[in-house]
Amino acid sequence: MNIHEFQAKQLFARFGIPVPRGKAITSPKAAEKWAAALQADVYVIKAQIHAGGRGKAGGVKLTNNRDEVPELAKELLGKTLVTHQTGPKGRKVRRVLIEEGADIAKELYLSLLVDRDSGRPTFIASTEGGMEIEEVAARSPENVLKEPVDPAVGFQGYNGRNLAFGLGLPSLESTVVTPFIQMLGNLYQLFMEKNASLVEINPLVITKDKRLVALDGKISLDDNALFKHPDLQKLRDLHEEDPLEIEASEHHLNYVKLDGDIGCMVNGAGLAMATMDVIKLAGSEPANFLDVGGSATKDTVAAGFRILLKDKNVKGIFINIFGGIVRCERIAHGVIDAAKEVGITLPVVVRLQGTNAEEGRQLLLQSGLTVDVATDLWEAAQKIVAMTRGKSSGSGLGH
Ligand code: GDP
Ligand code: MN
């Protein structure tokens, strides 16, 4: 789960990481009131969406005229902001963060993430702040520092010194070295306590009056640990998530929407990935990743069907079940009931393999439904691709 910049900054403040004075507001009236309370030389108005690249897309405004603040807030509120991270559809701005502007002397990059190679929480830092770190890494990898932390002993002073010296902070601005190392320790504490998978500060700035300030903030939290953090669960913003993905999560389905036209329902994540590969190999594109889990029931199958059918791009459905723990005849019952319940008029290919596969196939063939039944994965994939080719999407459905 991702959270908004203003929420990340509230967490930063609680962990002793300096942030500008600021407040998230939802109306120009509130903007006027807050600006009056803030009394700053420069005001920064920032669109709050779960995507970066706002600066370049006009989502960050600066003014030294307090009277302009409500007007700038009004410009952003309700606007759909398209940045290179939002995709072409963009994201609607429902809140803006209004902050005291910082007088920037130097922009740095700092993040902490789980590095899959070393299996350790790893700091990434660079003197090239304010730019996308991927860009810096591609163009001048020598400017990207990595500092893994041994989770068994936690953050150590030497980790901090490696980064501070690596960035050349002692010669850049020696007074910030100690606060920088302290900040790294605080960031590490936040990361571990909140079970984050990424904390990113870009830019982390050194101000002209030699203070370190987190000017931007991004936090990704590990969904699997969210049950431990009721306070963090409250930070979820459903507006920032795909409606179909929200519905799927309510049914405990692992669903990721994609851009193709073949809806897939599969049990097991590995098999789901193999299914997507095979659809591509047969010449089409999957409309989604959907893992109904090893213990799929009639209800989960029905919920999966409903979600697939709500996607207007879907031209056909490919059900690929390997009966290991789950028995194929149960899945067949689920498919039959769900198909009758939701009224499917699209081509459906069901491939059953494993426990009671033959029984399941017989049930489907005798059900009166127009579903194609297969045993072989490659054959099944070719079938659904052939059946959907040239069809228009969403035809004949009651949505
Ligand atoms: P992003 O583009 O979505 O990553 O948004 P950021 O919060 O990183 O802001 C983009 C850029 O706006 C920063 O890199 C800064 O250059 C600029 N910016 C943001 N806040 C301030 C501020 O307080 N003062 C000044 N001078 N520039 C700012
Ligand atoms: Mn940024």
Short mmCIF file of all heavy atoms in Angstrom, two decimals, residues 307-369:
data_model
loop_
_atom_site.label_atom_id
_atom_site.label_comp_id
_atom_site.label_asym_id
_atom_site.label_seq_id
_atom_site.Cartn_x
_atom_site.Cartn_y
_atom_site.Cartn_z
N ILE A 307 -15.76 -10.04 -11.49
CA ILE A 307 -14.71 -9.02 -11.66
C ILE A 307 -14.19 -9.04 -13.10
O ILE A 307 -14.03 -8.00 -13.73
CB ILE A 307 -13.58 -9.25 -10.63
CG1 ILE A 307 -14.11 -8.88 -9.24
CG2 ILE A 307 -12.34 -8.44 -10.97
CD1 ILE A 307 -13.30 -9.41 -8.09
N LEU A 308 -13.98 -10.24 -13.64
CA LEU A 308 -13.49 -10.34 -15.03
C LEU A 308 -14.48 -9.70 -15.99
O LEU A 308 -14.09 -9.01 -16.94
CB LEU A 308 -13.28 -11.80 -15.42
CG LEU A 308 -12.17 -12.57 -14.71
CD1 LEU A 308 -12.00 -13.95 -15.33
CD2 LEU A 308 -10.85 -11.83 -14.76
N LEU A 309 -15.77 -9.92 -15.74
CA LEU A 309 -16.79 -9.42 -16.67
C LEU A 309 -16.97 -7.91 -16.58
O LEU A 309 -17.45 -7.28 -17.53
CB LEU A 309 -18.13 -10.11 -16.41
CG LEU A 309 -18.14 -11.61 -16.75
CD1 LEU A 309 -19.46 -12.23 -16.37
CD2 LEU A 309 -17.85 -11.84 -18.24
N LYS A 310 -16.59 -7.33 -15.46
CA LYS A 310 -16.71 -5.87 -15.32
C LYS A 310 -15.65 -5.14 -16.13
O LYS A 310 -15.77 -3.95 -16.37
CB LYS A 310 -16.61 -5.48 -13.85
CG LYS A 310 -17.93 -5.63 -13.12
CD LYS A 310 -17.83 -5.10 -11.72
CE LYS A 310 -19.06 -5.51 -10.94
NZ LYS A 310 -18.89 -5.32 -9.50
N ASP A 311 -14.60 -5.86 -16.50
CA ASP A 311 -13.56 -5.26 -17.31
C ASP A 311 -14.04 -5.25 -18.77
O ASP A 311 -14.18 -6.29 -19.40
CB ASP A 311 -12.27 -6.09 -17.16
CG ASP A 311 -11.12 -5.53 -17.98
OD1 ASP A 311 -11.37 -4.62 -18.82
OD2 ASP A 311 -9.99 -6.02 -17.80
N LYS A 312 -14.29 -4.06 -19.27
CA LYS A 312 -14.89 -3.92 -20.60
C LYS A 312 -13.98 -4.40 -21.74
O LYS A 312 -14.43 -4.60 -22.86
CB LYS A 312 -15.26 -2.45 -20.86
CG LYS A 312 -16.17 -1.86 -19.81
CD LYS A 312 -17.47 -1.39 -20.42
CE LYS A 312 -18.33 -0.59 -19.47
NZ LYS A 312 -18.52 -1.16 -18.15
N ASN A 313 -12.70 -4.59 -21.45
CA ASN A 313 -11.79 -5.06 -22.50
C ASN A 313 -11.86 -6.57 -22.72
O ASN A 313 -11.36 -7.08 -23.72
CB ASN A 313 -10.34 -4.72 -22.14
CG ASN A 313 -10.11 -3.23 -22.13
OD1 ASN A 313 -10.79 -2.48 -22.83
ND2 ASN A 313 -9.15 -2.79 -21.32
N VAL A 314 -12.47 -7.28 -21.77
CA VAL A 314 -12.43 -8.74 -21.82
C VAL A 314 -13.31 -9.28 -22.94
O VAL A 314 -14.49 -9.00 -23.03
CB VAL A 314 -12.84 -9.34 -20.45
CG1 VAL A 314 -13.10 -10.84 -20.57
CG2 VAL A 314 -11.75 -9.09 -19.42
N LYS A 315 -12.71 -10.09 -23.83
CA LYS A 315 -13.44 -10.70 -24.96
C LYS A 315 -13.69 -12.17 -24.74
O LYS A 315 -14.49 -12.78 -25.44
CB LYS A 315 -12.62 -10.56 -26.25
CG LYS A 315 -12.48 -9.14 -26.76
CD LYS A 315 -11.77 -9.22 -28.10
CE LYS A 315 -11.21 -7.90 -28.54
NZ LYS A 315 -10.28 -8.09 -29.67
N GLY A 316 -12.94 -12.77 -23.83
CA GLY A 316 -13.09 -14.20 -23.57
C GLY A 316 -12.42 -14.54 -22.26
O GLY A 316 -11.58 -13.78 -21.76
N ILE A 317 -12.84 -15.69 -21.69
CA ILE A 317 -12.33 -16.06 -20.37
C ILE A 317 -11.62 -17.41 -20.45
O ILE A 317 -12.11 -18.35 -21.07
CB ILE A 317 -13.46 -16.09 -19.34
CG1 ILE A 317 -13.98 -14.65 -19.15
CG2 ILE A 317 -12.99 -16.68 -18.01
CD1 ILE A 317 -15.14 -14.53 -18.22
N PHE A 318 -10.46 -17.44 -19.84
CA PHE A 318 -9.66 -18.65 -19.80
C PHE A 318 -9.50 -19.07 -18.34
O PHE A 318 -8.91 -18.35 -17.55
CB PHE A 318 -8.29 -18.35 -20.43
CG PHE A 318 -7.39 -19.55 -20.53
CD1 PHE A 318 -7.89 -20.84 -20.52
CD2 PHE A 318 -6.02 -19.38 -20.66
CE1 PHE A 318 -7.05 -21.94 -20.62
CE2 PHE A 318 -5.17 -20.46 -20.77
CZ PHE A 318 -5.69 -21.75 -20.75
N ILE A 319 -10.09 -20.24 -18.04
CA ILE A 319 -9.98 -20.75 -16.67
C ILE A 319 -8.98 -21.89 -16.68
O ILE A 319 -9.14 -22.85 -17.44
CB ILE A 319 -11.35 -21.25 -16.15
CG1 ILE A 319 -12.36 -20.09 -16.20
CG2 ILE A 319 -11.21 -21.79 -14.73
CD1 ILE A 319 -13.76 -20.51 -15.82
N ASN A 320 -7.95 -21.76 -15.89
CA ASN A 320 -6.90 -22.76 -15.87
C ASN A 320 -6.68 -23.23 -14.43
O ASN A 320 -6.15 -22.49 -13.61
CB ASN A 320 -5.61 -22.14 -16.44
CG ASN A 320 -4.50 -23.17 -16.55
OD1 ASN A 320 -4.75 -24.37 -16.48
ND2 ASN A 320 -3.28 -22.70 -16.71
N ILE A 321 -7.15 -24.44 -14.15
CA ILE A 321 -7.09 -24.94 -12.77
C ILE A 321 -6.28 -26.22 -12.71
O ILE A 321 -6.53 -27.16 -13.47
CB ILE A 321 -8.52 -25.23 -12.24
CG1 ILE A 321 -9.40 -23.97 -12.29
CG2 ILE A 321 -8.46 -25.82 -10.83
CD1 ILE A 321 -9.04 -22.87 -11.33
N PHE A 322 -5.35 -26.24 -11.80
CA PHE A 322 -4.65 -27.49 -11.50
C PHE A 322 -5.16 -27.99 -10.15
O PHE A 322 -4.98 -27.32 -9.13
CB PHE A 322 -3.14 -27.29 -11.47
CG PHE A 322 -2.42 -28.58 -11.21
CD1 PHE A 322 -2.21 -29.48 -12.25
CD2 PHE A 322 -2.02 -28.93 -9.93
CE1 PHE A 322 -1.59 -30.69 -12.01
CE2 PHE A 322 -1.41 -30.14 -9.69
CZ PHE A 322 -1.19 -31.03 -10.73
N GLY A 323 -5.81 -29.14 -10.17
CA GLY A 323 -6.38 -29.68 -8.94
C GLY A 323 -5.32 -30.35 -8.10
O GLY A 323 -4.95 -31.49 -8.35
N GLY A 324 -4.83 -29.62 -7.11
CA GLY A 324 -3.88 -30.20 -6.18
C GLY A 324 -4.61 -30.38 -4.87
O GLY A 324 -5.14 -31.45 -4.58
N ILE A 325 -4.70 -29.30 -4.10
CA ILE A 325 -5.48 -29.33 -2.87
C ILE A 325 -6.96 -29.25 -3.24
O ILE A 325 -7.80 -29.96 -2.73
CB ILE A 325 -5.09 -28.15 -1.96
CG1 ILE A 325 -3.62 -28.28 -1.54
CG2 ILE A 325 -5.99 -28.09 -0.73
CD1 ILE A 325 -3.03 -27.04 -0.94
N VAL A 326 -7.24 -28.35 -4.18
CA VAL A 326 -8.61 -28.17 -4.62
C VAL A 326 -8.96 -29.30 -5.60
O VAL A 326 -8.11 -29.78 -6.34
CB VAL A 326 -8.78 -26.78 -5.27
CG1 VAL A 326 -7.94 -26.65 -6.51
CG2 VAL A 326 -10.22 -26.47 -5.58
N ARG A 327 -10.24 -29.76 -5.57
CA ARG A 327 -10.64 -30.83 -6.46
C ARG A 327 -11.36 -30.25 -7.67
O ARG A 327 -12.20 -29.37 -7.54
CB ARG A 327 -11.53 -31.83 -5.72
CG ARG A 327 -10.78 -32.42 -4.53
CD ARG A 327 -11.49 -33.57 -3.85
NE ARG A 327 -12.90 -33.58 -3.91
CZ ARG A 327 -13.70 -33.63 -2.84
NH1 ARG A 327 -13.18 -33.62 -1.63
NH2 ARG A 327 -15.00 -33.68 -2.97
N CYS A 328 -11.05 -30.80 -8.85
CA CYS A 328 -11.57 -30.22 -10.09
C CYS A 328 -13.09 -30.25 -10.19
O CYS A 328 -13.69 -29.36 -10.77
CB CYS A 328 -10.95 -30.92 -11.30
SG CYS A 328 -9.23 -30.49 -11.53
N GLU A 329 -13.73 -31.26 -9.61
CA GLU A 329 -15.19 -31.33 -9.76
C GLU A 329 -15.83 -30.19 -8.96
O GLU A 329 -16.88 -29.67 -9.32
CB GLU A 329 -15.74 -32.72 -9.42
CG GLU A 329 -16.25 -32.94 -8.02
CD GLU A 329 -15.12 -33.20 -7.02
OE1 GLU A 329 -13.93 -33.14 -7.41
OE2 GLU A 329 -15.43 -33.46 -5.83
N ARG A 330 -15.17 -29.77 -7.86
CA ARG A 330 -15.68 -28.64 -7.08
C ARG A 330 -15.59 -27.35 -7.89
O ARG A 330 -16.51 -26.53 -7.89
CB ARG A 330 -14.82 -28.44 -5.83
CG ARG A 330 -15.13 -29.40 -4.76
CD ARG A 330 -15.32 -28.63 -3.45
NE ARG A 330 -15.53 -29.61 -2.39
CZ ARG A 330 -14.86 -29.61 -1.26
NH1 ARG A 330 -13.95 -28.67 -1.02
NH2 ARG A 330 -15.11 -30.51 -0.36
N ILE A 331 -14.47 -27.20 -8.56
CA ILE A 331 -14.28 -26.02 -9.39
C ILE A 331 -15.32 -26.02 -10.51
O ILE A 331 -15.93 -25.00 -10.82
CB ILE A 331 -12.85 -25.99 -9.99
CG1 ILE A 331 -11.82 -25.76 -8.89
CG2 ILE A 331 -12.72 -24.95 -11.09
CD1 ILE A 331 -11.84 -24.38 -8.29
N ALA A 332 -15.57 -27.20 -11.10
CA ALA A 332 -16.55 -27.30 -12.17
C ALA A 332 -17.93 -26.86 -11.67
O ALA A 332 -18.62 -26.08 -12.33
CB ALA A 332 -16.61 -28.73 -12.71
N HIS A 333 -18.30 -27.32 -10.48
CA HIS A 333 -19.56 -26.88 -9.89
C HIS A 333 -19.57 -25.37 -9.72
O HIS A 333 -20.57 -24.71 -10.02
CB HIS A 333 -19.78 -27.54 -8.51
CG HIS A 333 -20.36 -28.92 -8.60
ND1 HIS A 333 -21.56 -29.17 -9.22
CD2 HIS A 333 -19.89 -30.12 -8.15
CE1 HIS A 333 -21.81 -30.49 -9.13
NE2 HIS A 333 -20.80 -31.08 -8.50
N GLY A 334 -18.47 -24.85 -9.24
CA GLY A 334 -18.35 -23.41 -9.04
C GLY A 334 -18.52 -22.65 -10.34
O GLY A 334 -19.24 -21.66 -10.42
N VAL A 335 -17.84 -23.15 -11.39
CA VAL A 335 -17.93 -22.49 -12.70
C VAL A 335 -19.36 -22.54 -13.22
O VAL A 335 -19.89 -21.53 -13.71
CB VAL A 335 -16.96 -23.17 -13.71
CG1 VAL A 335 -17.20 -22.66 -15.13
CG2 VAL A 335 -15.50 -22.95 -13.31
N ILE A 336 -20.00 -23.69 -13.09
CA ILE A 336 -21.37 -23.85 -13.60
C ILE A 336 -22.33 -22.92 -12.86
O ILE A 336 -23.09 -22.16 -13.47
CB ILE A 336 -21.82 -25.33 -13.49
CG1 ILE A 336 -20.99 -26.21 -14.42
CG2 ILE A 336 -23.31 -25.47 -13.80
CD1 ILE A 336 -21.03 -27.69 -14.11
N ASP A 337 -22.27 -22.94 -11.54
CA ASP A 337 -23.16 -22.09 -10.74
C ASP A 337 -22.90 -20.62 -11.03
O ASP A 337 -23.83 -19.84 -11.23
CB ASP A 337 -22.95 -22.34 -9.24
CG ASP A 337 -23.51 -23.70 -8.83
OD1 ASP A 337 -24.09 -24.38 -9.70
OD2 ASP A 337 -23.37 -24.06 -7.65
N ALA A 338 -21.61 -20.27 -11.06
CA ALA A 338 -21.26 -18.86 -11.26
C ALA A 338 -21.68 -18.41 -12.65
O ALA A 338 -22.21 -17.31 -12.83
CB ALA A 338 -19.76 -18.66 -11.07
N ALA A 339 -21.48 -19.27 -13.65
CA ALA A 339 -21.83 -18.92 -15.02
C ALA A 339 -23.33 -18.69 -15.15
O ALA A 339 -23.78 -17.77 -15.82
CB ALA A 339 -21.37 -20.01 -15.98
N LYS A 340 -24.11 -19.52 -14.47
CA LYS A 340 -25.56 -19.35 -14.50
C LYS A 340 -25.96 -18.07 -13.77
O LYS A 340 -26.82 -17.33 -14.23
CB LYS A 340 -26.25 -20.57 -13.88
CG LYS A 340 -26.19 -21.76 -14.84
CD LYS A 340 -26.95 -22.97 -14.33
CE LYS A 340 -26.91 -24.08 -15.38
NZ LYS A 340 -27.07 -25.41 -14.79
N GLU A 341 -25.31 -17.85 -12.65
CA GLU A 341 -25.63 -16.69 -11.81
C GLU A 341 -25.31 -15.37 -12.52
O GLU A 341 -26.11 -14.44 -12.49
CB GLU A 341 -24.81 -16.83 -10.53
CG GLU A 341 -25.17 -15.86 -9.43
CD GLU A 341 -24.17 -15.99 -8.28
OE1 GLU A 341 -23.76 -17.12 -7.94
OE2 GLU A 341 -23.77 -14.93 -7.75
N VAL A 342 -24.15 -15.28 -13.12
CA VAL A 342 -23.77 -14.00 -13.71
C VAL A 342 -24.08 -13.91 -15.21
O VAL A 342 -23.94 -12.85 -15.80
CB VAL A 342 -22.28 -13.63 -13.44
CG1 VAL A 342 -22.01 -13.47 -11.97
CG2 VAL A 342 -21.35 -14.66 -14.05
N GLY A 343 -24.51 -14.99 -15.81
CA GLY A 343 -24.93 -14.96 -17.21
C GLY A 343 -23.82 -14.60 -18.18
O GLY A 343 -23.75 -13.49 -18.67
N ILE A 344 -22.98 -15.58 -18.45
CA ILE A 344 -21.83 -15.31 -19.33
C ILE A 344 -22.17 -15.60 -20.78
O ILE A 344 -22.65 -16.68 -21.11
CB ILE A 344 -20.63 -16.17 -18.90
CG1 ILE A 344 -20.23 -15.77 -17.48
CG2 ILE A 344 -19.45 -15.98 -19.84
CD1 ILE A 344 -19.40 -16.81 -16.80
N THR A 345 -21.92 -14.63 -21.65
CA THR A 345 -22.15 -14.86 -23.08
C THR A 345 -20.85 -14.81 -23.86
O THR A 345 -20.86 -14.93 -25.08
CB THR A 345 -23.11 -13.79 -23.64
OG1 THR A 345 -22.56 -12.51 -23.34
CG2 THR A 345 -24.48 -13.90 -23.02
N LEU A 346 -19.75 -14.64 -23.16
CA LEU A 346 -18.45 -14.61 -23.83
C LEU A 346 -17.91 -16.02 -23.99
O LEU A 346 -18.32 -16.92 -23.25
CB LEU A 346 -17.46 -13.82 -22.97
CG LEU A 346 -17.73 -12.33 -22.75
CD1 LEU A 346 -16.72 -11.78 -21.77
CD2 LEU A 346 -17.64 -11.59 -24.07
N PRO A 347 -17.01 -16.24 -24.94
CA PRO A 347 -16.37 -17.55 -25.02
C PRO A 347 -15.59 -17.87 -23.73
O PRO A 347 -14.93 -16.98 -23.18
CB PRO A 347 -15.38 -17.41 -26.19
CG PRO A 347 -15.64 -16.10 -26.81
CD PRO A 347 -16.51 -15.29 -25.93
N VAL A 348 -15.74 -19.11 -23.29
CA VAL A 348 -15.02 -19.54 -22.09
C VAL A 348 -14.30 -20.85 -22.40
O VAL A 348 -14.91 -21.77 -22.96
CB VAL A 348 -15.99 -19.76 -20.91
CG1 VAL A 348 -15.23 -20.24 -19.67
CG2 VAL A 348 -16.79 -18.51 -20.59
N VAL A 349 -13.04 -20.92 -22.09
CA VAL A 349 -12.30 -22.17 -22.20
C VAL A 349 -11.84 -22.56 -20.80
O VAL A 349 -11.27 -21.74 -20.07
CB VAL A 349 -11.08 -22.04 -23.14
CG1 VAL A 349 -10.24 -23.32 -23.09
CG2 VAL A 349 -11.53 -21.75 -24.56
N VAL A 350 -12.16 -23.81 -20.43
CA VAL A 350 -11.76 -24.28 -19.11
C VAL A 350 -10.76 -25.41 -19.28
O VAL A 350 -11.03 -26.39 -19.98
CB VAL A 350 -12.97 -24.81 -18.30
CG1 VAL A 350 -12.54 -25.16 -16.88
CG2 VAL A 350 -14.10 -23.80 -18.29
N ARG A 351 -9.62 -25.24 -18.67
CA ARG A 351 -8.65 -26.33 -18.69
C ARG A 351 -8.52 -26.87 -17.28
O ARG A 351 -8.19 -26.13 -16.34
CB ARG A 351 -7.29 -25.80 -19.17
CG ARG A 351 -6.22 -26.86 -19.25
CD ARG A 351 -5.11 -26.58 -18.28
NE ARG A 351 -4.11 -27.63 -18.28
CZ ARG A 351 -3.04 -27.60 -17.49
NH1 ARG A 351 -2.85 -26.59 -16.70
NH2 ARG A 351 -2.20 -28.59 -17.52
N LEU A 352 -8.87 -28.15 -17.13
CA LEU A 352 -8.78 -28.78 -15.82
C LEU A 352 -7.74 -29.88 -15.87
O LEU A 352 -7.68 -30.64 -16.82
CB LEU A 352 -10.13 -29.40 -15.43
CG LEU A 352 -11.30 -28.43 -15.20
CD1 LEU A 352 -12.58 -29.23 -14.97
CD2 LEU A 352 -11.02 -27.52 -14.02
N GLN A 353 -6.94 -29.94 -14.83
CA GLN A 353 -5.93 -30.98 -14.75
C GLN A 353 -5.72 -31.32 -13.28
O GLN A 353 -5.90 -30.46 -12.43
CB GLN A 353 -4.63 -30.46 -15.39
CG GLN A 353 -3.58 -31.50 -15.65
CD GLN A 353 -4.08 -32.64 -16.54
OE1 GLN A 353 -4.67 -33.62 -16.05
NE2 GLN A 353 -3.86 -32.53 -17.84
N GLY A 354 -5.43 -32.57 -12.99
CA GLY A 354 -5.17 -32.93 -11.59
C GLY A 354 -6.32 -33.72 -10.98
O GLY A 354 -7.07 -34.40 -11.69
N THR A 355 -6.47 -33.57 -9.67
CA THR A 355 -7.44 -34.37 -8.91
C THR A 355 -8.86 -34.25 -9.47
O THR A 355 -9.40 -33.14 -9.57
CB THR A 355 -7.45 -33.92 -7.43
OG1 THR A 355 -6.09 -33.86 -6.98
CG2 THR A 355 -8.24 -34.89 -6.56
N ASN A 356 -9.45 -35.37 -9.80
CA ASN A 356 -10.83 -35.45 -10.31
C ASN A 356 -11.07 -34.58 -11.55
O ASN A 356 -12.17 -34.05 -11.74
CB ASN A 356 -11.85 -35.07 -9.23
CG ASN A 356 -11.82 -36.04 -8.07
OD1 ASN A 356 -11.14 -37.07 -8.15
ND2 ASN A 356 -12.56 -35.74 -7.02
N ALA A 357 -10.06 -34.46 -12.40
CA ALA A 357 -10.18 -33.61 -13.58
C ALA A 357 -11.24 -34.15 -14.53
O ALA A 357 -12.06 -33.41 -15.07
CB ALA A 357 -8.83 -33.51 -14.30
N GLU A 358 -11.26 -35.47 -14.72
CA GLU A 358 -12.19 -36.07 -15.66
C GLU A 358 -13.64 -35.84 -15.22
O GLU A 358 -14.49 -35.45 -16.01
CB GLU A 358 -11.88 -37.58 -15.81
CG GLU A 358 -12.66 -38.28 -16.91
CD GLU A 358 -12.62 -37.52 -18.25
OE1 GLU A 358 -11.54 -37.02 -18.61
OE2 GLU A 358 -13.69 -37.41 -18.89
N GLU A 359 -13.87 -36.01 -13.92
CA GLU A 359 -15.19 -35.78 -13.35
C GLU A 359 -15.61 -34.32 -13.60
O GLU A 359 -16.75 -34.05 -13.99
CB GLU A 359 -15.10 -36.05 -11.85
CG GLU A 359 -16.37 -36.54 -11.22
CD GLU A 359 -16.13 -36.79 -9.72
OE1 GLU A 359 -15.03 -37.30 -9.35
OE2 GLU A 359 -17.03 -36.45 -8.93
N GLY A 360 -14.70 -33.44 -13.39
CA GLY A 360 -14.96 -32.01 -13.59
C GLY A 360 -15.32 -31.71 -15.03
O GLY A 360 -16.26 -30.96 -15.33
N ARG A 361 -14.56 -32.28 -15.94
CA ARG A 361 -14.81 -32.06 -17.38
C ARG A 361 -16.19 -32.56 -17.77
O ARG A 361 -16.93 -31.90 -18.49
CB ARG A 361 -13.74 -32.74 -18.23
CG ARG A 361 -12.45 -31.96 -18.32
CD ARG A 361 -11.54 -32.51 -19.41
NE ARG A 361 -10.97 -33.81 -19.06
CZ ARG A 361 -9.85 -33.97 -18.34
NH1 ARG A 361 -9.18 -32.91 -17.91
NH2 ARG A 361 -9.41 -35.15 -18.04
N GLN A 362 -16.53 -33.75 -17.28
CA GLN A 362 -17.85 -34.32 -17.59
C GLN A 362 -18.97 -33.41 -17.10
O GLN A 362 -19.95 -33.17 -17.81
CB GLN A 362 -18.00 -35.71 -16.96
CG GLN A 362 -17.15 -36.79 -17.66
CD GLN A 362 -17.36 -36.82 -19.18
OE1 GLN A 362 -18.47 -36.64 -19.68
NE2 GLN A 362 -16.27 -36.99 -19.93
N LEU A 363 -18.81 -32.90 -15.88
CA LEU A 363 -19.82 -31.99 -15.33
C LEU A 363 -20.01 -30.77 -16.23
O LEU A 363 -21.14 -30.36 -16.51
CB LEU A 363 -19.40 -31.52 -13.93
CG LEU A 363 -19.63 -32.52 -12.79
CD1 LEU A 363 -18.89 -32.07 -11.54
CD2 LEU A 363 -21.12 -32.66 -12.51
N LEU A 364 -18.91 -30.22 -16.70
CA LEU A 364 -18.98 -29.03 -17.54
C LEU A 364 -19.65 -29.35 -18.87
O LEU A 364 -20.49 -28.59 -19.36
CB LEU A 364 -17.58 -28.45 -17.78
CG LEU A 364 -16.98 -27.68 -16.59
CD1 LEU A 364 -15.49 -27.44 -16.80
CD2 LEU A 364 -17.70 -26.34 -16.39
N LEU A 365 -19.27 -30.50 -19.45
CA LEU A 365 -19.82 -30.87 -20.76
C LEU A 365 -21.32 -31.13 -20.68
O LEU A 365 -22.06 -30.84 -21.61
CB LEU A 365 -19.10 -32.13 -21.30
CG LEU A 365 -17.65 -31.88 -21.74
CD1 LEU A 365 -16.95 -33.19 -22.07
CD2 LEU A 365 -17.61 -30.93 -22.95
N GLN A 366 -21.77 -31.64 -19.54
CA GLN A 366 -23.19 -31.96 -19.39
C GLN A 366 -24.01 -30.78 -18.84
O GLN A 366 -25.21 -30.90 -18.66
CB GLN A 366 -23.35 -33.16 -18.45
CG GLN A 366 -22.87 -34.47 -19.08
CD GLN A 366 -22.44 -35.48 -18.04
OE1 GLN A 366 -22.75 -35.33 -16.86
NE2 GLN A 366 -21.70 -36.51 -18.47
N SER A 367 -23.36 -29.68 -18.57
CA SER A 367 -24.04 -28.57 -17.89
C SER A 367 -24.96 -27.77 -18.79
O SER A 367 -25.79 -27.00 -18.33
CB SER A 367 -23.00 -27.62 -17.30
OG SER A 367 -22.31 -26.97 -18.36
N GLY A 368 -24.79 -27.94 -20.11
CA GLY A 368 -25.59 -27.13 -21.03
C GLY A 368 -24.97 -25.77 -21.30
O GLY A 368 -25.48 -24.99 -22.11
N LEU A 369 -23.88 -25.47 -20.61
CA LEU A 369 -23.19 -24.20 -20.86
C LEU A 369 -22.35 -24.32 -22.12
O LEU A 369 -21.86 -25.41 -22.45
CB LEU A 369 -22.26 -23.86 -19.70
CG LEU A 369 -22.87 -23.48 -18.37
CD1 LEU A 369 -21.77 -23.37 -17.33
CD2 LEU A 369 -23.62 -22.16 -18.49
#
